[in-house]
Amino acid sequence: MTAAPLAPASIASTQARPAVPTRISLRASVDHALVMARRGLLKIRHNPQELFDVIALPVVFAVMFSSIFGGAIAGTVTGYLPTLIPGVLVQVAVAASVGTGVKLREDMNKGVFDRFRSLPIARIAPLAGSLLADMVRYAVAAVMTVSVGLVMGYRPASLAGLLVACLLVMVVAFALSWIFALMGVLMDKPSTVQGVSMLVLMPLTFVSNALVPVDTMPGWMQAFAHVNPVSHLVSAVRTLADTGRASTEIATSLLGAVLVLAVMAPLTVRVYMRKA
């Protein structure tokens, strides 16, 4: 029994159906990435627990470190706050950038990105959107750290300089998030991404001038702290908050962020595109 021929209307509708584009324009790719960023923001809205670390860590770090080191380093807790708050601001924001890689790996393991791949969108959009949405986490971390500091008695000399410092920290954290995004693409489990990331961050954040003066450290540790990019970023934040003036440390931090983006962003995208 032969199949009935297609009616002329069916043939016309089939021929009129637009083909799915094989290439996505740059403008469309940006639009798709913004849509995916909105998806990330909606996830945070419906699951505020994702902000727990950037809300709790500033409180824990500021109270704990000021109580432990305040009397020994500055004589009083209040006298130690101008040194501590910029350091905690950098530490919390850098630690928050790890979440990008962890959440990326979770989505990939759940098959979320496989479903995105079946849609007519830019393949890079889910990755770029995830990183853009995490900028909210860095902003929350900055607001919480400054708020806790103000409650404890921190009084920056330049509020405008402190605002610029917060923006600088967010830019650097965004650049670092590409490193952890690459880890999320390469590694198999979210727990592995978090464990390896923290192993890298612990010496970077603590062997620096974030909490204590570098000259109190052993000689070999001082050498590392002086070249540590976290030390340069903390110094830039302190200078902005204390004087409101630009310094070479700001240029060094921005240059480091640009270099990280220039190297890690194309590498992360290339590896992601192979796996996506």
Side-chain angles (χ1 to χ4, degrees), residues 20 37 52 98 125 180 267:
V20 177
F52 177 77
V98 175
F180 303 115
L267 180 60

Side-chain angles (χ1 to χ4, degrees), residues 33 36-37 40 100 103-104 107 113 125-135:
M36 288 298 167
T100 299
K103 291 188 295 183
L104 180 62
D107 281 347
F113 280 42
L127 174 63
S130 177
L131 270 67
L132 288 173
D134 277 342
M135 292 292 288

Side-chain angles (χ1 to χ4, degrees), residues 50-106:
E50 292 188 5
L51 296 176
F52 177 77
D53 57 338
V54 294
I55 293 176
L57 279 181
V59 179
V60 174
F61 280 7
V63 174
M64 181 176 66
F65 291 143
S66 62
S67 301
I68 295 174
F69 299 122
I73 294 176
T76 62
V77 170
T78 305
Y80 180 52
L81 292 178
T83 299
L84 174 66
I85 298 303
V88 171
L89 174 61
V90 173
Q91 283 188 320
V92 174
V94 170
S97 65
V98 175
T100 299
V102 175
K103 291 188 295 183
L104 180 62
R105 185 69 258 173
E106 288 177 347

